[in-house]
């Protein structure tokens, strides 16, 4: 594979046998392989145990499991979307095809516009802008499609101030790239590759972090058709549509179904329905200080954020990081006990029990050692007293006998020695 892979286009799943997410992807991956073969795709589908072939996995920059990559010549494209059959196949077909796809007729343009919610089009001949467009396409083709067309192929409602030009078609209209207002072409395409209003999930939120935009979302329950849930969603949609020219450079709009994910992100319990504005670059968030009743209230809330008068919460400071560690640890323990109480008792109870026994043993050993040492010292002291001194009578007799046996000179010298000793 390593020697011959450049001869073909490969879609590879790098997995680990013990990985639960890899096992969940396996049936989907088998369906991807079958459908790609049946449709006559030039892309070959395979999978590799990254733990057995760690050198190859390291060569392709595999850092987690599962990792899906499309290998095309010297290039390796990472897949970062939802792990569904249709999404993976769409990614493979997009990246495996031409980098810039030509649109030769109006009929083809209309067909492509119906198939894709967002598409970028270059209009004009050879130019530095086209070279930059091709360069950006080679980087961002993993996310969206890039086309080229002549001016007469475009719909009649399109007017261009000058050629060459780069345009994006989405939300039922189009927008022309302006280098002076929009800055770098790569940054502009990265910001504009999303529709103005989105159904936000975990994958979308992760990708939106690359745009640098604030995300204004209505957190609702899609299954709840009450007036309040519907009203907040409509307010966000109206602001995204009617105030695009005011906010599209700084804000992305959408709604999120349920508050589980947003609660874990904010480490807070949000009562739905509600509106929250996220800054994915520094993990700050904004909550309205009063109830959002209308579009005007929402516009005022956004303006307060832009001018700095709205209070920011969260962030990525030291205290928030400590809070995140505690929150994640608590969430992990709770989820383990909820899913399997016996497993939770085993995982957390056994280590705590072992540590408790060890601590008890250490403390007990120290106490007994001190008692034995004290008693031994006491006994040794008593024996020394009895051995060295004896009774008073024995000492007196011994002294008198020695004095009798010794001469006067020796006796005098003995007295001197005893005084010195004393």
């Amino acid at each position: 594979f390593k020697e011959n892979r450049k001869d073909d286009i490969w879609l590879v799943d790098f997995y680990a046998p013990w990985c639960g997410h890899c096992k969940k992807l396996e049936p989907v991956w088998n369906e991807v392989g079958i459908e790609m073969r049946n449709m006559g795709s030039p892309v070959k589908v395979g999978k590799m145990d990254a733990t057995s072939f760690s050198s190859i996995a390291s060569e392709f920059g595999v850092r987690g499991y599962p990792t899906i990559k499309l290998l095309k010549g010297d290039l390796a494209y990472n897949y970062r979307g939802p792990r569904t059959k249709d999404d993976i196949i769409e990614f493979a077909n997009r990246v495996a095809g031409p980098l810039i796809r030509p649109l030769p007729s109006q009929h083809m343009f209309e067909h492509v516009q119906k198939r894709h919610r967002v598409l970028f089009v270059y209009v004009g001949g050879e130019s530095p802008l086209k070279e930059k467009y091709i360069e950006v396409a080679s980087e961002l083709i993993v996310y969206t499609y890039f086309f080229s067309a002549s001016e007469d192929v475009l719909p009649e409602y399109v007017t261009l101030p000058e050629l060459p030009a780069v345009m994006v078609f989405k939300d039922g209209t189009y927008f022309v790239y302006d280098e002076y207002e929009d800055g770098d072409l790569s940054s502009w395409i990265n910001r504009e590759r999303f529709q103005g209003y989105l159904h936000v999930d975990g994958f979308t939120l992760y990708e939106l972090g690359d745009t640098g935009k604030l995300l204004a979302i209505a957190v609702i329950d899609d299954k709840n058709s009450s007036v309040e849930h519907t009203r907040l969603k409509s307010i966000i949609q109206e602001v995204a549509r009617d105030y695009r020219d005011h906010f599209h450079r700084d804000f992305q709009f959408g709604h999120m179904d349920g508050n589980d994910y947003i609660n874990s992100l904010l480490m807070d319990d949000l009562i739905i329905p509600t509106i929250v504005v996220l800054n994915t670059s520094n993990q700050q968030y904004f909550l309205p200080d009063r109830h959002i009743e209308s579009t005007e209230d929402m516009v005022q809330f956004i303006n307060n954020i832009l001018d700095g008068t709205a209070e920011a919460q969260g962030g990525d400071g030291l205290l928030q990081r400590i809070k995140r560690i505690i929150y994640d640890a608590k969430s992990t323990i709770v989820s383990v006990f909820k899913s399997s109480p016996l497993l939770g008792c085993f995982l957390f109870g056994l280590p705590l029990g072992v540590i408790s026994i060890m601590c008890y043993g250490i403390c007990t050993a120290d106490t007994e050692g001190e008692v034995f040492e004290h008693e031994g010292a006491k006994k040794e002291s008593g024996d020394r007293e009895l051995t060295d001194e004896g009774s008073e009578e024995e000492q007196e007799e011994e002294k008198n006998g020695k004095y009798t046996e010794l001469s006067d000179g020796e006796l005098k010298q003995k007295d001197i020695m005893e005084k010195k000793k004393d």
Side-chain angles (χ1 to χ4, degrees):
F1 168 77
K2 186 176 180 180
E3 295 174 356
N4 302 320
R5 71 167 187 85
K6 293 184 181 180
D7 299 335
D8 299 291
I9 301 174
W10 281 91
L11 182 67
V12 182
D13 166 30
F14 293 91
Y15 71 97
W18 43 261
C19 172
H21 294 292
C22 300
K23 294 176 181 178
K24 187 177 179 181
L25 176 64
E26 186 174 358
V28 176
W29 196 253
N30 292 335
E31 293 178 7
V32 169
I34 293 171
E35 186 157 334
M36 295 286 283
R37 184 174 64 247
N38 292 340
M39 67 194 305
S41 172
V43 179
K44 291 187 175 182
V45 181
K47 60 182 181 179
M48 179 178 291
D49 183 351
T51 61
S52 298
F53 302 97
S54 57
S55 60
I56 297 180
S58 177
E59 179 183 337
F60 290 117
V62 175
R63 296 182 178 86
Y65 310 113
T67 294
I68 299 172
K69 289 179 176 283
L70 188 133
L71 310 177
K72 183 180 178 183
D74 294 324
L75 300 175
Y77 296 92
N78 287 331
Y79 176 69
R80 294 169 59 181
R83 295 178 186 137
T84 63
K85 182 190 72 172
D86 293 337
D87 288 303
I88 294 172
I89 290 175
E90 199 270 340
F91 161 81
N93 290 333
R94 180 175 67 248
V95 179
L99 196 61
I100 309 294
R101 302 167 190 251
L103 298 174
S105 64
Q106 285 189 355
H107 176 73
M108 179 63 72
F109 187 95
E110 293 172 0
H111 173 72
V112 168
Q113 197 170 14
K114 289 177 182 178
R115 286 190 58 190
H116 305 298
R117 296 174 180 176
V118 179
L119 64 145
F120 293 89
V121 182
Y122 173 82
V123 184
E126 298 297 326
S127 68
L129 181 60
K130 185 176 183 179
E131 294 177 5
K132 182 65 176 177
Y133 183 71
I134 294 172
E135 179 186 337
V136 174
S138 65
E139 176 188 355
L140 300 180
I141 194 172
V142 293
Y143 301 118
T144 188
Y145 287 89
F146 294 88
F147 298 90
S148 64
S150 58
E151 191 173 9
D152 57 351
V153 170
L154 301 178
E156 294 181 358
Y157 62 83
V158 175
T159 56
L160 294 174
E162 61 180 2
L163 292 178
V166 176
M167 315 167 61
V168 59
F169 290 83
K170 64 176 184 178
D171 302 330
T173 184
Y174 71 96
F175 306 98
V176 182
Y177 167 68
D178 187 327
E179 182 178 2
Y180 297 102
E181 291 187 4
D182 300 317
D184 180 64
L185 179 62
S186 177
S187 300
W188 179 76
I189 290 177
N190 199 34
R191 291 195 305 269
E192 296 294 338
R193 63 186 175 91
F194 298 98
Q195 292 178 278
Y197 182 88
L198 296 170
H199 181 185
V200 181
D201 56 17
F203 282 106
T204 310
L205 193 62
Y206 180 75
E207 290 187 10
L208 286 169
D210 297 334
T211 66
K213 290 184 177 183
L214 298 174
L215 176 60
I217 53 176
V219 185
I220 62 173
D221 183 358
D222 277 338
K223 297 178 182 178
N224 192 325
S225 58
S226 66
V227 175
E228 185 66 10
H229 287 256
T230 306
R231 185 178 60 81
L232 288 183
K233 183 178 177 180
S234 299
I235 288 175
I236 297 292
Q237 288 175 328
E238 290 175 11
V239 173
R241 182 186 66 244
D242 300 338
Y243 292 84
R244 175 192 153 78
D245 292 339
H246 295 83
F247 301 134
H248 81 279
R249 285 187 175 86
D250 302 302
F251 280 85
Q252 177 67 50
F253 300 91
H255 79 274
M256 179 175 284
D257 182 20
N259 62 349
D260 292 339
Y261 189 87
I262 201 72
N263 283 347
S264 64
L265 190 67
L266 306 184
M267 296 181 289
D268 198 358
D269 292 325
L270 294 183
I271 301 175
I272 57 175
T274 188
I275 287 176
V276 61
V277 175
L278 302 175
N279 187 338
T280 54
S281 62
N282 60 8
Q283 300 179 17
Q284 286 185 342
Y285 63 95
F286 302 85
L287 296 174
D289 56 358
R290 57 193 178 94
H291 196 60
I292 302 296
E293 296 286 350
S294 63
T295 304
E296 289 71 22
D297 291 341
M298 187 65 200
V299 171
Q300 182 61 47
F301 177 43
I302 292 175
N303 285 326
N304 291 342
I305 294 173
L306 291 174
D307 61 25
T309 57
E311 180 183 0
Q313 303 182 48
D316 54 0
L318 179 60
L319 292 177
Q320 285 298 121
R321 293 178 185 179
I322 296 173
K323 184 179 178 181
R324 168 60 63 185
I325 293 172
I326 297 173
Y327 181 86
D328 289 342
K330 179 182 176 182
S331 301
T332 302
I333 295 172
V334 170
S335 63
V336 169
F337 274 98
K338 281 185 177 180
S339 59
S340 178
L342 292 177
L343 179 62
C345 292
F346 178 78
L347 290 177
F348 299 102
L350 182 61
L352 289 175
V354 172
I355 293 172
S356 300
I357 293 172
M358 290 175 64
C359 293
Y360 176 77
I362 292 170
C363 295
T364 306
D366 289 344
T367 305
E368 291 177 352
E370 289 176 1
V371 172
F372 290 148
E373 185 179 349
H374 178 69
E375 290 180 351
K378 189 174 181 182
K379 182 179 180 182
E380 185 180 348
S381 176
D383 291 344
R384 188 183 300 113
E385 288 176 0
L386 289 173
T387 303
D388 293 345
E389 296 180 4
S391 66
E392 291 182 0
E393 293 177 356
E394 289 174 347
Q395 290 180 21
E396 188 67 27
E397 289 177 1
E398 184 179 353
K399 184 176 180 182
N400 293 336
K402 286 181 180 179
Y403 277 21
T404 306
E405 295 174 0
L406 295 174
S407 64
D408 293 341
E410 290 174 340
L411 214 103
K412 188 180 291 184
Q413 187 176 0
K414 182 71 175 176
D415 289 340
I416 296 171
M417 292 297 294
E418 283 183 359
K419 288 180 180 179
K420 288 182 177 180
K421 186 177 181 180
D422 292 339

